[in-house]
Amino acid sequence: MKVSNNDNRTYHQLKLDNGLQVLLVSDYSSDKSAAALTVNAGHFDDPIDRQGMAHFLEHMLFLGTKQHPQPGHFSQFISQSGGQSNAWTGTEHSCYFFDCAQQQFFSALSLFSEFFIDPLLDVSQTENERNAIDAEFKMKVKDDGRRIYQVHKETVNPSHPFSKFSVGNKETLENRDLCIAQEVRDFFEKQYQAQWMTLVVAGPHSLAELETHTRELFSAVKGSKTPKAQIQAPLYRKQDLGLLLHIAPRKHMQKLIVSFAMNGIDNLYKHKCASFLAHLLGYEGEGSLYSILKEQGWINALSAGGGISGSNFKDFNISFALTDEGIDYYEDIVEMLFEYIALIKSNTASLPQLYKDKKTLLDIAFNNQEPSRLLEWVSTISVNMHHYESEDYLYGDYIMQGFDEALHTRLCGYLTPQNMRIVLIHPDVEAQLKAKWYHTPYQVEQLSNEWLNALDNIDTPLPEMLLPKVNPYLQVENELYDVTQQSQIPDLLKDKPGFAFWFKQDATFRVTKGHFYIEIDSLLSIKNTKHMAMTRLFADLLMDSMAEQYYPAELAGLNYHINSHQGGLTLHTAGLSGNQITLALQLLEHMLKAVISAPRFAEYKKQLIRHWKNHNHNKPVSELFSVLGAKLMPWNPEPMALAKALKNISFNEFCQFRSQFFDSIHIKAFLHGNWQQEHAHNMQKQLRKLFTNSEILEDLKRPLVVLNNYQEHCIDKPNCEHALVYYIQAQTEDVFEKVALMTLNQLVSNQYFETLRTQQQLGYLVGAGYAPFNTRAGVAFYIQSPNVDAEQLQKKHDLFITQFISELDSLDDEAWRDAKRALRLQIAEKDKNLRLRAQRFWIAITNDDHQFNMQKRLVKQLDSLQKEQLISYVNKVFSPSYPKIALRCN
């Protein structure tokens, strides 16, 4: 098996006698263990009269096994062991995964294996879980992604399983002559067979120990020699192509999707020919389709290569985010797309070098891989095992074996007008049809043969169209420097007050990568809500103005992002260290001097106002959290307040704001990664030069509203689900309060979910979480319900809390130790990679934690926390007089 140079894990593959394919991973650098099982069964396998069955089974498997029949027992065990568990159901696969403390791992793995051997699938649980599925469906009814997806399902070959309704609801999963429980069991017996499963088991254990437990626990999963039946029906018949679909969204959206039908491409993964084609069409540099259409004022964004895919189909999509003007010119955009395709088809000789560039980058990425969270990694690899040959389980996403002209020509052969569908998503659809389940208004037209023939005759690109050039950013050597800095924490390089530059050479992960952060606080940006809105617009316009010039850097593994924060702008660059400093300085110079045109200002102002107004269509829980954030953080206004403030701003007013933005500033910067002290000092000097003309201020401290009594806030949203957010805020910055609220959350969150979501079925979105605002600790409880009004939700919440407090006194010592151990595992978790380490240091810098020891302080406080202290604190925060806020949406 091909393994990255930067991967210190050891691997062993095996196949159990029942056909289950297993990958064992010994990873002594991890402080947790994890497992993931993926089965080649999804909603495509739903019986035609029981759509949503695969999704329903996924839910039911968490509700007990014959050996451990209590619903939620597994989730509770995982939570007490400092871990997480979850699952998803896709089209042809379903995946189950968990992590936990290594000491409890084999007990957890035993419970997990029972899902696939002896699930309870109890009659008494079906009603509740059907309600949960229905609540999930109702929550997604207003989601534009789902609504558009449903129109897609209704306009393909009805004999193809893609056309099925994947989520399910009360109607499709109702009891008929008998309870559905027997049908769920029949589905499980038929679809969950060992030979269609892959399992990844990983952690700080020896391979021998992992193998012993895996064989012992999973050999009882039933299997046979039966291969999975192949899908025979094509996704599209002839009459399903050559269509124009008009779809009306709920939120304001203007999008053109040109979709070409391909056969399944899983077996082409070694050449990445489809992603290479997407790379050519999605190019954003000089002479690109993106650049030309943006110059015309017709698009704001372009992406290529997305679209649904499966074992016997692939939609190759080119998607355009349209301007208001672009809607009227969608036919011209399609014609220009075919002109750019003509450029690709007529320049085959120059493609191998461009392919080589992309291959070089993927090889660098593979060999400089950093560990991600073990939980996410095992679930990804267990899915990869269904798509790649065994030697490529880890390498399959990166392999580019070589440019294959015949394959490339074959894929280009799919990009024809006759093999095309066009989707136009815009608000002004004159709809005559309404999609089932999601009620999406849409209209279907047949594209005229005359236009299709005209498109077919396009064989010459526009003169200004260019393919990508050989990437200059890939010509720089990425040398791994010797470690010369001994400090375990970032050093502050001495400079003037108000200009803090921190540096830390990476001595742990040893990859040719790095991260640079710079936070520029501007006195002007916090003057009023209008200026806060203009700061956000400024960030968007800067990103827009950089796209074409710096696109090659992105292709070469150098990422950058400018975003607005409370008080100003933050630039973050990341990726290969070779010329990242040069790029960061160029981007900062661009921020100071970029030319922003009146048309782009007008377009982005309009888009941003729409985005903020669309926020009203968000989940009510999300809206309540926005209200909460605005109440507690004065420099973070609500979206509607920002939209109102931006509405009447003229281009001249914005230009004046922009010209004065850097006049009075405070700067914090941090460089971390594969660099030495001299690189940092040189960069610091260059930064100082860039901001020579700015007045350097003392730090702008972000204000926080500290609650001093119990408050309520209600919002009214017609035709919307009901919601409650109940927030408890720490009254001090004391580490004790942070740890006490984290411990409260550890004890309450799983129980809150199980009681109010699983048992009482109040809604799909139910939970509790640790939620700090501007470094001040807090805990938030939230419920969103389709059927129960907000006042009732609060009563149910209050009853739960009363019961929880009454039971807290009887919490036994073992449960208390389990809770502390689980929380300690989370708090003390080691940084898995350079990105997480840089992020942690940067958060400490922005929070003025210059000892960089918050993690140690939290662990120390937790270790000394007594049960009686916690009970006393919990009683205090839930007492009627304690400051907190309840937000409701009816």
Side-chain angles (χ1 to χ4, degrees):
M1 195 165 66
K2 171 95 170 174
V3 177
S4 165
N5 294 345
N6 207 39
D7 188 346
N8 296 317
R9 303 178 180 109
T10 50
Y11 298 89
H12 178 55
Q13 297 178 44
L14 60 104
K15 185 177 181 181
L16 302 188
D17 292 343
N18 56 9
L20 177 64
Q21 295 281 357
V22 181
L23 180 65
L24 305 173
V25 187
S26 177
D27 181 2
Y28 283 103
S29 70
S30 177
D31 36 23
K32 282 187 177 180
S33 306
L37 185 146
T38 299
V39 57
N40 186 187
H43 89 77
F44 280 12
D45 299 293
D46 289 347
I48 199 71
D49 62 339
R50 279 299 196 194
Q51 296 181 35
M53 178 65 88
H55 184 211
F56 190 42
L57 173 61
E58 175 218 309
H59 279 235
M60 292 293 295
L61 288 184
F62 282 89
L63 297 178
T65 61
K66 287 180 181 170
Q67 295 91 326
H68 297 90
Q70 318 87 298
H73 174 77
F74 175 73
S75 302
Q76 184 73 33
F77 182 87
I78 293 298
S79 177
Q80 288 170 347
S81 304
Q84 293 175 290
S85 61
N86 214 332
W88 52 259
T89 302
T91 51
E92 298 177 70
H93 298 88
S94 301
C95 183
Y96 300 78
F97 45 93
F98 75 92
D99 69 356
C100 69
Q102 55 171 301
Q103 296 85 344
Q104 282 83 41
F105 179 58
F106 293 116
S107 299
L109 194 65
S110 175
L111 295 174
F112 184 65
S113 68
E114 291 168 16
F115 280 31
F116 312 103
I117 299 166
D118 281 323
L120 198 59
L121 305 176
D122 189 43
V123 171
S124 65
Q125 297 298 328
T126 54
E127 182 61 27
N128 269 356
E129 222 41 48
R130 183 167 38 232
N131 289 338
I133 295 275
D134 198 58
E136 182 178 351
F137 161 66
K138 283 175 178 166
M139 188 183 78
K140 290 176 178 173
V141 160
K142 295 177 181 177
D143 178 73
D144 273 324
R146 290 274 173 179
R147 291 158 61 80
I148 292 162
Y149 198 48
Q150 185 59 31
V151 174
H152 196 169
K153 285 172 172 290
E154 290 188 11
T155 54
V156 303
N157 180 0
S159 300
H160 193 281
F162 178 74
S163 63
K164 294 176 185 176
F165 171 43
S166 57
V167 179
N169 63 7
K170 262 187 169 177
E171 186 182 329
T172 66
L173 300 170
E174 67 184 353
N175 291 330
R176 292 176 183 160
D177 296 338
L178 297 169
C179 174
I180 195 174
Q182 186 55 50
E183 291 177 67
V184 176
R185 182 164 297 283
D186 293 343
F187 183 83
F188 171 81
E189 298 287 351
K190 182 179 177 185
Q191 301 296 344
Y192 275 52
Q193 295 194 35
Q195 75 275 15
W196 301 336
M197 292 176 177
T198 57
L199 174 68
V200 180
V201 184
H205 317 275
S206 71
L207 289 174
E209 190 180 13
L210 291 171
E211 179 169 355
T212 300
H213 284 280
T214 300
R215 286 190 182 279
E216 182 187 314
L217 296 172
F218 288 89
S219 291
V221 178
K222 289 185 183 127
S224 67
K225 303 283 187 199
T226 312
K228 184 78 180 180
Q230 300 297 304
I231 300 170
Q232 299 301 324
L235 181 64
Y236 300 113
R237 303 160 299 178
K238 190 175 180 185
Q239 64 263 42
D240 304 318
L241 296 169
L243 300 181
L244 168 60
L245 309 179
H246 293 268
I247 304 176
R250 280 190 79 247
K251 293 182 179 181
H252 192 284
M253 188 191 307
Q254 295 175 157
K255 199 169 185 181
L256 167 66
I257 302 169
V258 182
S259 185
F260 297 99
M262 294 181 172
N263 295 331
I265 60 167
D266 274 6
N267 60 339
L268 308 181
Y269 78 88
K270 291 192 178 190
H271 293 278
K272 297 286 183 298
C273 36
S275 64
F276 179 61
L277 191 53
H279 160 69
L280 298 174
L281 284 161
Y283 173 57
E284 292 182 10
E286 183 191 352
S288 64
L289 180 62
Y290 163 84
S291 174
I292 293 165
L293 292 172
K294 189 176 154 190
E295 185 66 29
Q296 290 282 353
W298 292 347
I299 70 165
N300 288 322
L302 180 158
S303 64
I308 59 167
S309 61
S311 52
N312 80 331
F313 65 93
K314 160 70 183 164
D315 270 1
F316 187 92
N317 289 358
I318 300 95
S319 301
F320 306 86
L322 301 176
T323 62
D324 288 352
E325 191 180 357
I327 281 280
D328 298 327
Y329 288 95
Y330 78 89
E331 290 163 313
D332 300 75
I333 293 171
V334 174
E335 287 171 22
M336 288 169 84
L337 167 62
F338 277 99
E339 285 162 339
Y340 201 82
I341 290 169
L343 177 75
I344 294 169
K345 287 179 176 177
S346 60
N347 280 275
T348 310
S350 61
L351 297 182
Q353 184 57 49
L354 298 177
Y355 183 96
K356 189 180 168 193
D357 265 7
K358 191 161 172 60
K359 173 180 165 50
T360 299
L361 181 63
L362 283 184
D363 285 342
I364 292 169
F366 182 68
N367 284 317
N368 282 275
Q369 262 185 102
E370 299 175 78
S372 55
R373 284 184 65 214
L374 200 60
L375 180 69
E376 294 153 5
W377 184 80
V378 293
S379 54
T380 300
I381 301 302
S382 73
V383 173
N384 283 1
M385 290 169 75
H386 287 265
H387 297 291
Y388 301 144
E389 292 172 17
S390 58
E391 66 267 25
D392 294 329
Y393 287 164
L394 307 176
Y395 188 45
D397 291 342
Y398 299 87
I399 187 172
M400 287 185 79
Q401 210 167 56
F403 180 69
D404 186 316
E405 189 174 332
L407 267 181
H408 172 77
T409 304
R410 186 176 120 204
L411 283 198
C412 284
Y414 288 117
L415 309 185
T416 66
Q418 288 72 24
N419 194 44
M420 172 181 75
R421 285 160 55 105
I422 296 176
V423 180
L424 202 56
I425 303 163
H426 60 107
D428 304 320
V429 174
E430 293 177 9
Q432 294 171 0
L433 300 167
K434 193 165 272 195
K436 195 173 181 184
W437 310 119
Y438 294 90
H439 318 301
T440 327
Y442 73 103
Q443 182 57 33
V444 182
E445 289 178 38
Q446 194 74 44
L447 293 168
S448 78
N449 282 327
E450 188 183 1
W451 190 48
L452 291 176
N453 290 335
L455 292 173
D456 214 13
N457 288 326
I458 293 173
D459 57 6
T460 310
L462 294 176
E464 62 268 37
M465 286 180 167
L466 299 169
L467 286 174
K469 297 183 177 71
V470 171
N471 198 317
Y473 290 93
L474 281 176
Q475 313 314 309
V476 174
E477 187 64 37
N478 279 284
E479 177 189 347
L480 187 64
Y481 294 109
D482 293 336
V483 176
T484 56
Q485 188 189 33
Q486 301 309 315
S487 172
Q488 297 302 302
I489 60 173
D491 289 335
L492 177 62
L493 306 188
K494 296 299 177 206
D495 207 334
K496 296 177 185 173
F499 201 114
F501 189 103
W502 296 82
F503 170 65
K504 169 80 175 74
Q505 184 181 18
D506 168 53
T508 307
F509 302 104
R510 306 299 287 141
V511 286
T512 57
K513 289 181 178 180
H515 290 260
F516 172 67
Y517 293 90
I518 183 166
E519 178 182 275
I520 305 167
D521 282 349
S522 166
L523 204 53
L524 194 67
S525 78
I526 54 170
K527 189 175 173 185
N528 51 38
T529 303
K530 185 196 282 192
H531 282 220
M532 292 173 201
M534 280 198 281
T535 303
R536 287 156 172 77
L537 177 60
F538 190 19
D540 285 355
L541 285 165
L542 284 170
M543 285 298 289
D544 176 66
S545 67
M546 292 170 173
E548 183 178 322
Q549 186 177 348
Y550 296 105
Y551 187 69
E554 287 200 84
L555 291 181
L558 282 165
N559 305 310
Y560 65 89
H561 192 74
I562 295 170
N563 66 287
S564 58
H565 61 256
Q566 295 174 64
L569 297 173
T570 298
L571 168 68
H572 174 212
T573 64
L576 298 174
S577 53
N579 46 15
Q580 190 181 149
I581 289 176
T582 305
L583 174 70
L585 291 166
Q586 287 172 345
L587 293 169
L588 284 164
E589 189 166 6
H590 188 102
M591 287 171 74
L592 291 163
K593 298 176 182 174
V595 175
I596 290 169
S597 68
R600 297 314 288 163
F601 163 80
E603 178 61 29
Y604 269 81
K605 174 186 161 183
K606 185 166 53 185
Q607 295 291 344
L608 196 50
I609 289 171
R610 280 177 182 162
H611 168 73
W612 284 327
K613 286 185 173 175
N614 272 343
H615 181 81
N616 268 342
H617 295 298
N618 277 358
K619 296 192 285 271
V621 155
S622 302
E623 186 146 350
L624 291 180
F625 272 111
S626 280
V627 173
L628 176 63
K631 280 186 167 297
L632 298 179
M633 299 180 292
W635 293 355
N636 189 44
E638 283 184 61
M640 285 307 289
L642 290 166
K644 189 178 174 186
L646 194 58
K647 189 171 185 288
N648 296 317
I649 290 168
S650 67
F651 180 55
N652 284 339
E653 190 176 359
F654 173 77
C655 288
Q656 188 179 0
F657 167 82
R658 181 261 163 90
S659 69
Q660 297 170 357
F661 185 87
F662 298 103
D663 287 356
S664 298
I665 56 174
H666 175 88
I667 290 178
K668 288 176 183 170
F670 175 45
L671 184 69
H672 179 48
N674 177 42
W675 294 288
Q676 294 175 329
Q677 198 90 6
E678 63 181 285
H679 299 114
H681 280 296
N682 287 337
M683 186 179 200
Q684 184 189 28
K685 278 183 201 161
Q686 300 269 34
L687 281 177
R688 166 58 73 193
K689 225 184 267 181
L690 277 175
F691 294 100
T692 304
N693 299 325
S694 301
E695 178 194 2
I696 304 297
L697 303 170
E698 285 303 310
D699 201 353
L700 303 180
K701 299 290 184 192
R702 289 165 201 178
L704 178 78
V705 174
V706 179
L707 300 173
N708 55 17
N709 56 12
Y710 173 71
Q711 298 176 23
E712 293 189 340
H713 183 84
C714 299
I715 62 172
D716 188 36
K717 282 172 66 72
N719 308 315
C720 192
E721 291 195 348
H722 314 287
L724 167 74
V725 168
Y726 191 91
Y727 187 72
I728 297 167
Q729 182 191 52
Q731 291 299 285
T732 68
E733 289 285 359
D734 197 84
V735 174
F736 169 77
E737 281 211 82
K738 293 183 195 296
V739 168
L741 288 173
M742 287 177 182
T743 311
L744 165 62
N745 181 58
Q746 176 67 31
L747 289 167
V748 80
S749 56
N750 201 63
Q751 202 176 325
Y752 194 76
F753 178 87
E754 285 297 325
T755 304
L756 301 182
R757 156 80 152 71
T758 307
Q759 293 170 25
Q760 296 185 25
Q761 290 294 311
L762 293 182
Y764 182 71
L765 267 185
V766 178
Y770 180 70
F773 284 95
N774 282 2
T775 76
R776 183 63 61 94
V779 167
F781 298 85
Y782 57 90
I783 313 171
Q784 184 172 308
S785 175
N787 306 315
V788 182
D789 70 42
E791 285 192 12
Q792 285 301 310
L793 292 179
Q794 184 153 354
K795 283 179 183 170
K796 303 264 189 190
H797 164 87
D798 291 342
L799 276 172
F800 170 87
I801 295 298
T802 303
Q803 183 72 20
F804 171 76
I805 292 170
S806 71
E807 292 171 0
L808 202 54
D809 285 325
S810 57
L811 183 72
D812 64 52
D813 289 343
E814 187 182 355
W816 170 246
R817 282 194 299 272
D818 283 348
K820 282 182 67 173
R821 193 186 305 117
L823 181 57
R824 194 183 199 282
L825 191 65
Q826 291 171 39
I827 293 173
E829 191 170 1
K830 291 182 288 197
D831 301 316
K832 288 282 183 291
N833 52 46
L834 186 67
R835 177 181 62 82
L836 292 173
R837 173 76 50 86
Q839 205 172 63
R840 182 167 62 82
F841 281 147
W842 177 239
I843 288 167
I845 289 166
T846 56
N847 290 341
D848 294 329
D849 170 21
H850 297 158
Q851 302 303 308
F852 300 93
N853 64 352
M854 180 55 76
Q855 194 176 33
K856 283 181 186 168
R857 287 162 64 200
L858 291 170
V859 169
K860 186 179 176 185
Q861 180 66 66
L862 177 64
D863 288 346
S864 66
L865 183 67
Q866 300 300 309
K867 183 171 66 170
E868 294 70 29
Q869 281 179 291
L870 193 274
I871 292 172
S872 170
Y873 182 76
V874 169
N875 277 301
K876 185 173 86 170
V877 299
F878 283 119
S879 67
S881 60
Y882 188 84
K884 44 192 170 284
I885 184 167
L887 303 105
R888 295 192 294 267
C889 174
N890 262 328

